Amino acid sequence: MSAPANSFFAGIEVTQTSMRGVAVSADGEVVVRREAAHQPDNLLSDVANIVTSLREAGEIKCVGIALPGLVNRETDRVLVSTGLPSVVRADLHSELIKATGVKFELENDANAAAYGEYKVGAGRDAKDLFYIHIGDAVGGAIIIDGKLWTGASGCAGEVGHTTINTEGIQCECGNIGCLETVASGPNIARRARERLDRDSTSSLSRLAITDDFTAADLAHEATNGDDFSIMMIERTGKYIGTAVAGIINLLSLERIVLGGAVMEAGDLLLNPIIQEAGKRSFHPCFESTKIVSGKLGADAVAIGAALLARDA
Ligand SMILES: [Zn+2]
């Protein structure tokens, strides 16, 4: 890198309720990390505050900001965001620059995480990769020959909105039975709740004593050996593995990296994903694809955003 050793790049992940920022060195190492609560109405001042606190690292050359929405990087505009509608406005990019005095790059959150894993995480030595983010929503991104491939519409890789159950429930996108309707964190918890209501043997599960558990609680109980929770995680893995098999057959990329909060369930979830993908994909394609968990954890989006800004 040509950047001097004392200059840094910042990456900020913005969700509906929080911001996570990192300052990274030119080689992608995190030197400062900040988390803050966030109100969508205060976007500009919240971003400015987090940039100020990331300056503790040194001079910030530029900032990558990752948002839950469809971003056109040519025009620096967010085109659609169901999670954060307030960012869909023409002057966002220029206002961010005005509020902080630094250069900004806007990117979709899954694209940013994919880029982070590709550059400094679980995709480091791969030529091409597909990244799947499984958290409150299910997103995806494709990197081919070192570049994000976003397709004609700009939203290629939206694996969360591929149909997994033609008779399933309606997704936020309008379609019926998307992968997201069974595999996102809130939907895993919903499926578990419905099943606990239906099945009397499930009431032996420790989860049955509370109604407001999350996917993280379910993963925790599964790790502690709760049969019901293990079964729910395995079934979720089968759904995700089915989608992964489709990706393998279509693209035959060298690596598939799975990240996001739901993947914190670890091998309990990763193993059934790999097993199902193997069962449902064309054997030679499956054999040449490595399916792994992300390495950057909760920092993936922010690190990737910083590296996209570095490389822009
Ligand atoms: Zn959908």
Side-chain angles (χ1 to χ4, degrees):
M1 279 306 297
S2 55
N6 60 347
S7 61
F8 298 89
F9 303 87
I12 302 171
E13 175 186 18
V14 181
T15 74
Q16 279 166 305
T17 54
S18 67
M19 283 191 188
R20 188 184 189 90
V22 296
V24 306
S25 61
D27 59 4
E29 202 189 319
V30 176
V31 288
V32 179
R33 178 185 284 108
R34 291 283 180 269
E35 283 177 79
H38 158 61
Q39 295 283 334
D41 290 343
N42 302 339
L43 182 79
L44 291 173
S45 57
D46 288 351
V47 169
N49 287 339
I50 210 163
V51 169
T52 301
S53 96
L54 291 171
R55 282 190 167 118
E56 196 177 284
E59 190 207 345
I60 302 287
K61 296 278 282 180
C62 51
V63 182
I65 185 161
L67 302 156
L70 173 57
V71 177
N72 183 331
R73 292 195 72 203
E74 307 277 301
T75 58
D76 290 315
R77 282 192 65 170
V78 185
L79 304 179
V80 185
S81 176
T82 45
L84 216 57
S86 60
V87 300
V88 186
R89 55 193 174 87
D91 56 358
L92 178 70
H93 186 244
S94 55
E95 293 287 323
L96 285 167
I97 294 171
K98 211 159 78 184
T100 58
V102 276
K103 208 176 120 203
F104 263 81
E105 290 291 325
L106 267 54
E107 186 51 275
N108 164 270
D109 48 8
N111 285 358
Y115 199 71
E117 291 288 355
Y118 181 74
K119 286 290 180 181
V120 296
R124 195 169 198 155
D125 48 352
K127 186 166 169 282
D128 314 302
L129 73 79
F130 196 104
Y131 176 80
I132 308 177
H133 179 90
I134 308 170
D136 284 349
V138 179
I142 306 165
I143 293 182
I144 293 177
D145 282 339
K147 289 205 173 75
L148 281 163
W149 190 82
T150 55
S153 61
C155 51
E158 284 292 354
V159 63
H161 301 286
T162 51
T163 303
I164 212 81
N165 178 4
T166 52
E167 289 164 26
I169 65 164
Q170 187 164 26
C171 181
E172 282 194 28
C173 74
N175 182 37
I176 301 287
C178 290
L179 177 63
E180 183 167 300
T181 66
V182 288
S184 72
N187 276 302
I188 294 170
R190 175 190 57 77
R191 284 173 38 232
R193 239 174 263 124
E194 286 173 2
R195 187 149 186 129
L196 282 171
D197 287 346
R198 260 200 333 265
D199 179 353
S200 62
T201 57
S202 303
S203 64
L204 298 173
S205 166
R206 281 188 291 268
L207 288 171
I209 54 172
T210 162
D211 201 37
D212 58 354
F213 60 85
T214 64
D217 298 326
L218 189 97
H220 181 75
E221 291 303 332
T223 318
N224 288 338
D226 181 56
D227 287 338
F228 171 79
S229 304
I230 292 171
M231 177 200 72
M232 289 307 298
I233 296 279
E234 281 176 355
R235 284 175 165 242
T236 304
K238 283 188 174 192
Y239 285 128
I240 300 168
T242 301
V244 165
I247 295 165
I248 290 173
N249 283 358
L250 277 175
L251 296 170
S252 187
L253 300 181
E254 197 180 319
R255 197 158 307 171
I256 295 178
V257 179
L258 296 123
V262 169
M263 287 310 296
E264 280 165 27
D267 287 348
L268 278 176
L269 181 57
L270 184 65
N271 289 339
I273 291 173
I274 295 173
Q275 206 177 20
E276 195 70 11
K279 257 194 255 174
R280 290 183 185 272
S281 58
F282 191 49
H283 191 68
C285 299
F286 178 74
E287 287 294 306
S288 19
T289 306
K290 214 166 139 190
I291 304 167
V292 296
S293 289
K295 274 193 185 154
L296 304 182
D299 285 339
V301 174
I303 292 175
L307 297 178
L308 279 161
R310 178 196 72 182
D311 298 343

